[in-house]
Amino acid sequence: HVQLVESGGGSVQAGGSLRPSCVASGYTVDSNCVGWFRQAPGKEREGVAAIYSEGGTTYYSDSVKGRFTISQDNAKNTVYLQMNSLKFEDTAVYTCAAAIGVRCNKADFIHWGQGTQVTVS
């Protein structure tokens, strides 16, 4: 049974930083693609970042490139999303998702966490 548990969201002023984390169980983050998605009220869910560490590959949406960094700690089976220079438009529920295999296409993510709220004011 795969379980993804996010934490580390919160409220921050514009320009601030947060680092949500996603702890996986029943799943190995270092041999699969793991991603972060977000959904703001009234908007569709969008992919923010993804990582496949065995291939040394990361992906970022244009809206966060240069401000967000995805990383993982294999010993802790945890994926992080370092978010810097936060903007009001980054406000959303951020959800961790896990794919089975190395592909990081949206359709490949089949396990989802419950999400953590990020609010930028």
Side-chain angles (χ1 to χ4, degrees), residues 2 4 24 27 32-35 37 96-100 108-113:
V2 176
L4 304 171
Y27 178 87
N32 296 282
C33 183
V34 181
F37 292 75
C96 174
I100 301 299
D108 296 311
F109 293 99
I110 61 172
H111 301 292
W112 296 84

Side-chain angles (χ1 to χ4, degrees), residues 56-106:
T57 305
T58 56
Y59 303 93
Y60 297 95
S61 66
D62 288 342
S63 60
V64 307
K65 200 171 295 182
R67 300 188 297 121
F68 290 11
T69 303
I70 189 170
S71 63
Q72 63 188 61
D73 183 333
N74 294 334
K76 296 181 179 180
N77 214 30
T78 300
V79 176
Y80 304 96
L81 184 67
Q82 178 67 48
M83 306 189 297
N84 298 329
S85 302
L86 282 162
K87 305 176 181 179
F88 175 78
E89 51 264 40
D90 293 319
T91 296
V93 175
Y94 284 72
T95 304
C96 174
I100 301 299
V102 308
R103 299 200 312 178
C104 297
N105 298 319
K106 192 171 183 179

